[in-house]
Amino acid sequence: MRGFLKREGKYKLFAILLLTFLIPVGCVQGQLSKDEGEYKNGVVVCAYPDAAQVGLNILKKGGNAVDAAVAVQFALAVTLPEAGNIGGGGFMVYRSGKGETNTLDFREKAPAMAGPNMYLDSAGNVIPGMSLSTHLASGVPGSVDGMVQAHLKYGHLKWEDLVQPAIDLARNGFMITKHLANDLNRTQAEFKKLNEGKIYMIRDTPWKEGDLLVQEDLAKTLEQIRDKGRAGFYEGVVADELVAEMQRGKGLISKTDLQNYHAVWRQALIGNYKEYRIITMPPPSSGGVALLQLLQTVEKYPLSRWGFNRDSTVQLVVEAERRVYADRSKYLGDPDFYKVPVDSLLKPAYNLSRMSNFSWDKATPSVSILPGKFVGYESDQTTHYSIVDRDGNAVSITTTLNGGFGSKIFVKGAGFLLNNEMDDFSSKPGVPNMFGLVGGKANSIQPGKRMLSSMTPTIIEKDGKLFMIVGTPGGSTIITSVFQTILNVIEFNQNMQQAVNSKRFHHQWLPDVVYVEKDALDGDDRLKLEQKGYKIIDSGPSGRVDAILKTKSGYYEGGADPRGDDTKLGW
Ligand code: DON
């Protein structure tokens, strides 16, 4: 099939027609889509098959990429409860078919009653778990306002028609994958401990693949959003339920916090790598700045000659990552509260100078503030989707509840999960968060401030035209996964699916360790690195990259991460 699809001209057209007819069966199961496919009129790549189908349907109905994104966001809130959400937040990077760029920041904010010491005991120590699985862990959700603002500015189809598919999925139910069944089974005890009343995800017998998950409360909440837009979430019955839930668990989010929440349009952060133009997310994400720093640091080295995941490539990339994550811990935070020195961090001379103490002979030791702790985790807790439409409009969105199922606390009666995004703040200088990341003043907790993120939704242009749409979940590994996926295509000549599949590695300054996916490194390369003092630790799957590449023939090729249920559909 692959060789067949690669042929030009009429064969390609025939292949597209053939695929169009095959899609209804193959793609919903995520099978055909996992292999090969190039499409002319649009592609949706996201983390759950039913949500990808919703997005594709919207594109086929004449919706644009933003319409499809709104529909996918709500569909994921139903079908991917680990990460899809209306109770969380995220970032959108947008590029129109004509080249206009923009970003939308719908990241959660600290409630007005939040403060820098809210997770500390009387001795000034961080109280374990408080920023993760309590009502105090939640920031004011941004996703619904984000979708409303995105639709107001760029949407084409009617709002109701974009929310309705999610309502149908919640009310009629959908068949769960093995992955989701496992996640639900793993979380039963916590769901029971933290919640009251009817929770649709709790049941006495274990969940299994193919079971139907019906969420009537969530369907009703989504109807409020369908009928009233922003007011259907930040005011009225849903807001009442959310605030009542906060009161049940001594949380801080108030009616005023909800009313005051507004997503923010921010100018895209733009940089270059060779002949490519990188359009990415500015602060309060650290992702865009870090990605551009990494690209600047490695640009002058002959990566393609060294080869994919060979020792020299890994060594250079690790040393670049070490330095960039050190900067992240000190300089990155919410630009509305802290003057982030973006220009200084993105001076090529600065990033080159950071490598002056780099030696090929041995690993540079990370200067330790406090040893970080890196929690092994799967990347189900955040989700990324990439969409392109027939006019070449491109959307790259990463959205999250932070931990898997967020705080694991449902808003009683409203059927949706609350985020635990407050853990992304620095609870205390130098004390690592759940991803082992440390921070200080730039990312301290202040009322109304947005917590620093690593989410790195990105769009790349070549010769003034759309080239790639990319992003991933994965906490602190997001930045390095996006970085490596870009290098895989540009330097190592991989197609989109190969670039997504390729094994990844990660270093984040602290702890001073290189995490590698199984079989990411050849035995010899690994040995050479270890002899130079690199501490290499095997890790589980890292990230779920969902990306789209415009191929030389002008078609779009999706890359759906086989590490999850990720699915690519196109037409
Ligand atoms: O915004 C951030 O950087 C984190 N809250 C993302 C969390 C995440 O990716 C978890 N998923 N694996």
Side-chain angles (χ1 to χ4, degrees):
M1 181 61 100
R2 182 179 160 203
F4 175 70
L5 280 174
K6 287 269 173 251
R7 278 178 216 145
E8 301 294 318
K10 62 184 179 196
Y11 292 112
K12 177 158 262 166
L13 183 64
F14 179 68
I16 300 283
L17 284 172
L18 185 66
L19 279 178
T20 308
F21 289 112
L22 288 174
I23 279 164
V25 187
C27 284
V28 174
Q29 264 83 44
Q31 288 165 3
L32 187 68
S33 58
K34 285 275 187 203
D35 301 323
E36 291 293 331
E38 293 186 10
Y39 304 94
K40 190 77 190 164
N41 289 318
V43 172
V44 178
V45 193
C46 75
Y48 206 84
D50 302 66
Q53 189 65 58
V54 164
L56 181 67
N57 293 346
I58 294 294
L59 290 182
K60 285 185 170 177
K61 273 190 201 155
N64 62 27
V66 172
D67 292 321
V70 171
V72 167
Q73 175 78 28
F74 287 117
L76 287 171
V78 178
T79 59
L80 190 77
E82 303 99 314
N85 67 81
I86 53 176
F91 300 124
M92 169 172 99
V93 174
Y94 173 77
R95 180 187 182 276
S96 76
K98 296 198 170 87
E100 177 203 349
T101 61
N102 210 343
T103 79
L104 182 61
D105 167 2
F106 55 98
R107 180 76 162 162
E108 301 92 323
K109 295 175 89 160
M113 295 291 287
N117 300 328
M118 64 186 279
Y119 301 122
L120 305 184
D121 63 17
S122 52
N125 298 317
V126 173
I127 302 170
M130 204 170 174
S131 61
L132 286 172
S133 43
T134 69
H135 288 72
L136 284 172
S138 301
V140 185
S143 292
V144 175
D145 193 52
M147 292 305 108
V148 169
Q149 299 312 323
H151 180 254
L152 274 176
K153 199 171 184 81
Y154 296 117
H156 174 60
L157 297 187
K158 285 212 298 258
W159 172 255
E160 303 83 275
D161 295 342
L162 306 179
V163 188
Q164 189 61 43
I167 298 172
D168 297 339
L169 284 165
R171 176 155 295 137
N172 304 331
F174 66 97
M175 291 213 289
I176 65 170
T177 58
K178 191 168 173 203
H179 208 98
L180 177 52
N182 290 343
D183 285 353
L184 289 174
N185 291 334
R186 230 193 342 253
T187 320
Q188 290 292 300
E190 282 163 294
F191 283 155
K192 284 181 193 155
K193 191 174 121 204
L194 293 164
N195 292 285
E196 280 179 0
K198 165 120 190 82
I199 303 297
Y200 295 87
M201 284 170 216
I202 298 179
R203 69 175 206 185
D204 297 335
T205 51
W207 289 95
K208 53 186 191 326
E209 183 179 2
D211 283 345
L212 200 67
L213 176 59
V214 175
Q215 302 169 81
E216 178 56 27
D217 284 351
L218 181 57
K220 283 198 210 126
T221 297
L222 289 165
E223 279 174 338
Q224 292 288 318
I225 296 168
R226 176 195 64 192
D227 298 341
K228 299 181 188 146
R230 187 192 140 84
F233 185 84
Y234 295 91
E235 296 168 34
V237 51
V238 176
D240 290 347
E241 286 165 333
L242 199 158
V243 171
E245 182 59 48
M246 283 291 130
Q247 281 158 3
R248 182 176 80 78
K250 300 197 177 61
L252 299 181
I253 300 174
S254 68
K255 287 254 174 83
T256 317
D257 285 324
L258 292 172
Q259 275 154 17
N260 288 346
Y261 184 87
H262 293 286
V264 186
W265 291 102
R266 299 187 191 274
Q267 208 178 23
L269 185 65
I270 296 186
N272 294 300
Y273 179 74
K274 301 189 171 172
E275 68 267 42
Y276 301 88
R277 187 164 177 259
I278 317 291
I279 303 154
T280 188
M281 193 68 212
S285 181
S286 63
V289 171
L291 174 66
L292 295 182
Q293 285 189 275
L294 288 168
L295 289 167
Q296 281 186 8
T297 310
V298 305
E299 185 168 1
K300 298 282 181 292
Y301 294 86
L303 290 171
S304 54
R305 180 153 61 75
W306 293 337
F308 167 74
N309 280 12
R310 300 312 304 266
D311 59 327
S312 300
T313 303
V314 175
Q315 185 173 4
L316 180 74
V317 166
V318 161
E319 293 299 342
E321 289 174 355
R322 186 198 306 282
R323 287 158 177 80
V324 167
Y325 275 78
D327 282 348
R328 180 196 189 278
S329 74
K330 179 155 185 196
Y331 296 116
L332 271 296
D334 181 349
D336 296 342
F337 285 74
Y338 183 85
K339 198 165 167 0
V340 183
V342 175
D343 291 347
S344 307
L345 290 169
L346 294 183
K347 287 213 167 75
Y350 169 74
N351 287 304
L352 282 181
S353 75
R354 295 281 284 157
M355 293 298 272
S356 58
N357 58 351
F358 161 59
S359 154
W360 283 111
D361 299 335
K362 64 175 177 45
T364 316
S366 288
V367 182
S368 158
I369 298 170
L370 265 184
K373 246 202 302 169
F374 187 88
V375 184
Y377 56 89
E378 293 200 17
S379 300
D380 298 328
Q381 305 98 322
T382 296
T383 192
H384 177 84
Y385 47 99
S386 295
I387 301 180
V388 64
D389 66 24
R390 68 202 306 173
D391 297 321
N393 300 307
V395 169
S396 185
I397 290 185
T398 315
T399 180
T400 186
L401 290 166
N402 194 30
F405 302 100
S407 64
K408 303 182 180 68
I409 297 170
F410 288 86
V411 172
K412 192 173 166 190
F416 68 91
L417 281 156
L418 288 163
N419 68 79
N420 58 358
E421 217 75 58
M422 292 291 285
D423 189 65
D424 273 345
F425 277 118
S426 169
S427 293
K428 186 180 174 180
V431 176
N433 73 358
M434 74 177 279
F435 299 110
L437 294 167
V438 288
K441 188 161 169 260
N443 191 30
S444 63
I445 305 172
Q446 285 176 256
K449 187 175 176 181
R450 288 176 158 96
M451 54 297 281
L452 184 62
S453 172
S454 301
M455 294 187 287
T456 314
T458 297
I459 298 176
I460 302 179
E461 275 177 15
K462 187 183 179 193
D463 302 327
K465 298 204 179 75
L466 178 63
F467 179 70
M468 196 196 295
I469 311 169
V470 60
T472 184
S476 53
T477 67
I478 291 175
I479 300 165
T480 55
S481 292
V482 169
F483 175 49
Q484 286 167 58
T485 306
I486 293 171
L487 294 181
N488 290 346
V489 171
I490 295 181
E491 296 293 343
F492 306 121
N493 223 3
Q494 299 179 4
N495 69 26
M496 195 71 262
Q497 189 61 61
Q498 289 167 335
V500 166
N501 293 359
S502 285
K503 295 295 166 68
R504 299 188 270 266
F505 58 91
H506 172 75
H507 192 288
Q508 59 178 45
W509 177 52
L510 293 176
D512 193 350
V513 162
V514 188
Y515 294 95
V516 296
E517 286 187 307
K518 191 168 180 309
D519 301 328
L521 298 184
D522 185 287
D524 278 355
D525 291 310
R526 184 172 177 140
L527 196 63
K528 280 188 205 154
L529 288 162
E530 282 170 340
Q531 282 165 348
K532 290 179 178 179
Y534 291 92
K535 186 164 180 222
I536 299 179
I537 291 185
D538 294 309
S539 76
S542 173
R544 305 267 192 275
V545 178
D546 283 345
I548 299 172
L549 185 69
K550 190 159 187 188
T551 64
K552 287 197 179 76
S553 53
Y555 285 69
Y556 297 111
E557 184 214 347
D561 205 318
R563 294 165 181 81
D565 294 322
D566 304 57
T567 303
K568 57 185 184 185
L569 297 181
W571 71 305

